[in-house]
Amino acid sequence: MKFVLRKESNTPFYQQICVQIIQRIQSGMLMDEEQLPSLRTMAEDLNVSILTVRKAYKWLETKGYVFVQPGKGVYIRGKRQASSKIANPYDWQHSLAVNVQRSQYLINRQRRYYDFSQAVVYPRLLPNQFLADEMQNIVQKNRMILATYGPVQGDEELRLEITKYLKEYQGLHADPTKLVITSGAQQGIDLIAQTLLKPGDTVLVESPCYGAAIDVFTNKGINIIPIELDKQGVRSDLIDEVCQKKKPVLLYVNSSFHNPTGTLMSEKRRRELVELAEMYKFFIVEDDSFGEIYFDQITLPPPIKSFDRNGHVIYLKGFSKTIAPGIRVAAMLAEGPVFDWIYAVKSFMDIGSPLLVQKAILPILRTKRMKNHVEKLRTALQIRRDTAVEILSSLDDVVQFQVPQGGFNLWLTLTDSIDSITLLQKANEADINFLPGSACFVNEPKKKHIRISYSLLSDHDLKIGLEKLCKVIRDVQFE
């Protein structure tokens, strides 16, 4: 089993060892009662002292992750299994160094009926029939569209419509020749990482952060520095402190209704970030997937990109969340040489995003349908938010949260007596799922937080599911 220590990290070596072992336990890469390397073997492999490894194993033992058999070794804690256990032919794969610690919560899992884990809109609130009809019409009129690669940069008509959309909804003036269409915002993040980052580079992220973005940077061998949030968004004062010691390549942020916390970054903070990017010469990746979904008639600050004058901000606008998750379409706005670099990388990444889905959303953007759809979606999701807030407020002695002004999520902080992983296991038994907060942190998993997405269920199922979850939380509290 391979463990890797990042010498340049500020995290102590023993903590890095602990984090990697915990991640492997949670992802199933380390099985119950599997033996860990000896103190000497681990110390030699990592070129650290035996005392460092001993400290890591001792910490894991006190937290209940491992147990020690005197004279034999250190083992993963779990139910004892029969000695006649049949060898798994795939066990060799556990020795590979992979990073799936956050993705494990999002894929290949058993679906629960009351699913609060996915920031996805309830299907009946989306224009599915309209899109299906449009796709059918497009194919009937031009069957060759299925035999045609889309342009690397994206469909020209769509790029023109998106520039109009950004001006109307975000007040952002964009040049269609500087837009690149990607297969969702997630591909956009990966494309930026492929273009700008190399192993050992430094990236700043919000803490907590969108977990899939952390995984993208981790898998590139990047030094990730988490920056705390406050009520105005990511803390610019902490970014300034880091930049005086490190030279980050980029800062990744969710500016509007941050995933997972729902925080809306203030205009003052947005301006400060651009000033810091100019001063220390780094990029800001502004991921805006929830900006249209605001509640309570609030006025949104302009995008960070609107304050950018020198190409420091790369703006990502996702449409999958509000139109249809199955239509993976996003737009990236980048200016200066970075646009050419991104274009070149995309040309060999996928040759061009699917043309059919790009053409299918054109009628929505060109007519009042999008405006009407978004207004109805806001109303429906605000009702769901209010339902979630009302029900979860009954747990005010064990759960704390800020009421989001938009987006799809509630970020809950649990009392110290409740462990989010244990809570998830109990919730699964009650046919409930949510995202544990540990999926949203860079370093040692924090077990005091969970993310509840109120967007996926119907009004009826949302109410029942949350009431069931409240009971599970109470039961775990008194265990």
Side-chain angles (χ1 to χ4, degrees), residues 242-270:
V242 171
C243 289
Q244 292 176 32
K245 301 174 183 177
K246 303 281 187 179
K247 184 174 176 54
V249 178
L250 63 85
L251 163 69
Y252 171 82
V253 295
N254 285 163
S255 53
S256 296
F257 314 119
H258 169 261
N259 183 6
T261 67
T263 302
L264 176 61
M265 187 184 294
S266 68
E267 180 174 334
K268 178 176 180 290
R269 189 63 51 82
R270 296 175 191 227

Coordinates of all heavy atoms in Angstrom, one line a residue, residues 242-270:
V242 N -1.4 34.2 3.1 CA -0.8 33.1 2.4 C 0.0 33.6 1.2 O 1.1 33.1 1.0 CB -1.9 32.2 1.9 CG1 -1.4 31.1 0.9 CG2 -2.6 31.5 3.0
C243 N -0.5 34.6 0.5 CA 0.2 35.1 -0.7 C 1.6 35.7 -0.4 O 2.5 35.8 -1.2 CB -0.6 36.0 -1.5 SG -2.0 35.3 -2.4
Q244 N 1.7 36.2 0.8 CA 3.0 36.8 1.3 C 4.1 35.7 1.4 O 5.3 36.0 1.4 CB 2.8 37.5 2.5 CG 2.0 38.8 2.4 CD 1.7 39.5 3.7 OE1 2.6 39.5 4.6 NE2 0.6 40.2 3.8
K245 N 3.6 34.4 1.6 CA 4.6 33.3 1.8 C 4.6 32.3 0.6 O 5.6 31.7 0.4 CB 4.2 32.5 3.1 CG 4.1 33.4 4.3 CD 3.6 32.6 5.5 CE 3.5 33.5 6.8 NZ 2.9 32.8 7.9
K246 N 3.5 32.2 0.0 CA 3.4 31.3 -1.2 C 3.0 32.0 -2.4 O 2.6 33.2 -2.4 CB 2.3 30.2 -0.9 CG 2.5 29.4 0.4 CD 3.5 28.3 0.2 CE 3.6 27.4 1.4 NZ 4.5 26.3 1.2
K247 N 3.2 31.4 -3.6 CA 2.8 32.0 -4.8 C 1.7 31.1 -5.5 O 2.1 30.2 -6.3 CB 4.0 32.1 -5.7 CG 3.7 32.9 -7.1 CD 4.9 33.1 -7.9 CE 4.5 33.8 -9.2 NZ 3.7 35.0 -9.1
P248 N 0.5 31.3 -5.2 CA -0.6 30.5 -5.7 C -0.8 30.7 -7.2 O -0.6 31.8 -7.7 CB -1.8 30.9 -5.0 CG -1.6 32.3 -4.5 CD -0.1 32.3 -4.3
V249 N -1.2 29.7 -7.9 CA -1.5 29.8 -9.4 C -2.9 30.3 -9.5 O -3.2 31.1 -10.4 CB -1.2 28.5 -10.1 CG1 -1.6 28.6 -11.6 CG2 0.2 28.1 -10.0
L250 N -3.8 29.7 -8.7 CA -5.2 30.1 -8.8 C -5.9 30.0 -7.5 O -5.5 29.3 -6.6 CB -5.9 29.4 -9.9 CG -6.1 27.8 -9.8 CD1 -7.3 27.5 -9.0 CD2 -6.2 27.3 -11.2
L251 N -7.1 30.7 -7.4 CA -8.0 30.6 -6.3 C -9.3 30.1 -6.9 O -9.8 30.7 -7.9 CB -8.2 31.9 -5.7 CG -9.5 32.1 -4.8 CD1 -9.4 31.3 -3.5 CD2 -9.7 33.6 -4.4
Y252 N -9.9 29.0 -6.3 CA -11.2 28.5 -6.8 C -12.3 28.9 -5.8 O -12.2 28.7 -4.6 CB -11.2 27.0 -6.9 CG -12.5 26.4 -7.2 CD1 -13.1 26.3 -8.5 CD2 -13.3 25.9 -6.1 CE1 -14.3 25.8 -8.7 CE2 -14.6 25.3 -6.4 CZ -15.1 25.3 -7.6 OH -16.3 24.8 -7.9
V253 N -13.4 29.5 -6.3 CA -14.5 30.0 -5.5 C -15.8 29.7 -6.1 O -16.0 29.7 -7.4 CB -14.4 31.5 -5.2 CG1 -13.1 31.8 -4.3 CG2 -14.4 32.4 -6.4
N254 N -16.9 29.5 -5.3 CA -18.3 29.6 -5.6 C -18.8 30.9 -5.1 O -19.0 31.1 -3.9 CB -19.1 28.5 -5.0 CG -18.9 27.1 -5.6 OD1 -19.2 26.1 -5.0 ND2 -18.4 27.1 -6.8
S255 N -18.9 31.9 -6.0 CA -19.3 33.3 -5.5 C -20.7 33.4 -5.0 O -21.0 34.2 -4.1 CB -18.9 34.3 -6.6 OG -19.6 33.9 -7.8
S256 N -21.6 32.8 -5.7 CA -23.1 33.0 -5.4 C -23.7 31.7 -4.9 O -23.7 30.7 -5.6 CB -23.8 33.5 -6.6 OG -23.4 34.7 -7.0
F257 N -24.1 31.6 -3.6 CA -24.7 30.5 -3.0 C -23.8 29.3 -3.0 O -24.1 28.3 -3.6 CB -26.1 30.2 -3.6 CG -26.9 31.5 -3.8 CD1 -27.3 31.9 -5.0 CD2 -27.2 32.3 -2.7 CE1 -28.0 33.1 -5.2 CE2 -27.9 33.5 -2.8 CZ -28.3 33.9 -4.1
H258 N -22.7 29.5 -2.4 CA -21.5 28.6 -2.3 C -22.0 27.2 -2.0 O -22.9 27.0 -1.2 CB -20.6 29.2 -1.2 CG -19.5 28.2 -0.8 ND1 -19.6 27.4 0.4 CD2 -18.3 28.0 -1.3 CE1 -18.5 26.8 0.5 NE2 -17.7 27.1 -0.5
N259 N -21.4 26.3 -2.7 CA -21.6 24.9 -2.5 C -20.4 24.4 -1.6 O -19.3 24.4 -2.1 CB -21.6 24.1 -3.8 CG -21.9 22.6 -3.6 OD1 -22.2 22.1 -2.6 ND2 -21.9 21.9 -4.8
P260 N -20.6 24.0 -0.3 CA -21.8 23.5 0.2 C -22.6 24.4 1.2 O -23.7 24.1 1.6 CB -21.3 22.3 1.0 CG -20.0 22.7 1.6 CD -19.4 23.5 0.5
T261 N -22.0 25.6 1.6 CA -22.6 26.3 2.7 C -23.8 27.2 2.3 O -24.5 27.7 3.2 CB -21.5 27.2 3.4 OG1 -21.1 28.2 2.5 CG2 -20.3 26.3 3.8
G262 N -23.9 27.6 1.0 CA -25.0 28.5 0.6 C -24.6 29.9 0.8 O -25.5 30.8 0.6
T263 N -23.4 30.3 1.2 CA -23.0 31.6 1.4 C -23.0 32.5 0.2 O -22.6 32.0 -0.9 CB -21.5 31.7 2.0 OG1 -21.5 30.9 3.2 CG2 -21.1 33.1 2.3
L264 N -23.5 33.7 0.3 CA -23.4 34.6 -0.8 C -22.3 35.6 -0.6 O -22.3 36.4 0.4 CB -24.8 35.4 -1.0 CG -24.9 36.5 -2.0 CD1 -24.6 35.9 -3.4 CD2 -26.2 37.2 -1.9
M265 N -21.3 35.6 -1.5 CA -20.2 36.5 -1.3 C -20.6 38.0 -1.5 O -21.3 38.3 -2.5 CB -19.1 36.1 -2.3 CG -17.7 36.9 -2.1 SD -16.5 36.5 -3.3 CE -16.2 34.7 -3.0
S266 N -20.1 38.8 -0.7 CA -20.5 40.3 -0.8 C -19.7 40.9 -1.9 O -18.7 40.4 -2.4 CB -20.1 41.0 0.5 OG -18.7 41.0 0.7
E267 N -20.3 42.0 -2.4 CA -19.6 42.8 -3.5 C -18.2 43.3 -3.0 O -17.3 43.2 -3.8 CB -20.5 44.0 -3.9 CG -19.8 44.8 -5.0 CD -20.7 45.8 -5.6 OE1 -21.9 45.7 -5.5 OE2 -20.1 46.8 -6.1
K268 N -18.2 43.7 -1.8 CA -16.9 44.2 -1.2 C -15.8 43.1 -1.3 O -14.7 43.3 -1.7 CB -17.1 44.7 0.2 CG -15.8 45.1 0.9 CD -16.1 45.7 2.3 CE -14.9 46.1 3.0 NZ -14.0 45.0 3.4
R269 N -16.2 41.9 -0.9 CA -15.3 40.8 -0.9 C -14.9 40.4 -2.4 O -13.7 40.1 -2.6 CB -15.9 39.6 -0.2 CG -14.9 38.4 0.0 CD -13.8 38.8 1.0 NE -14.2 39.4 2.2 CZ -14.6 38.7 3.3 NH1 -14.7 37.4 3.3 NH2 -14.9 39.4 4.4
R270 N -15.8 40.5 -3.3 CA -15.5 40.2 -4.7 C -14.4 41.2 -5.2 O -13.5 40.8 -5.9 CB -16.8 40.3 -5.5 CG -17.8 39.2 -5.1 CD -19.1 39.3 -5.9 NE -20.1 38.5 -5.3 CZ -20.9 37.7 -6.0 NH1 -20.9 37.6 -7.3 NH2 -21.8 36.9 -5.3

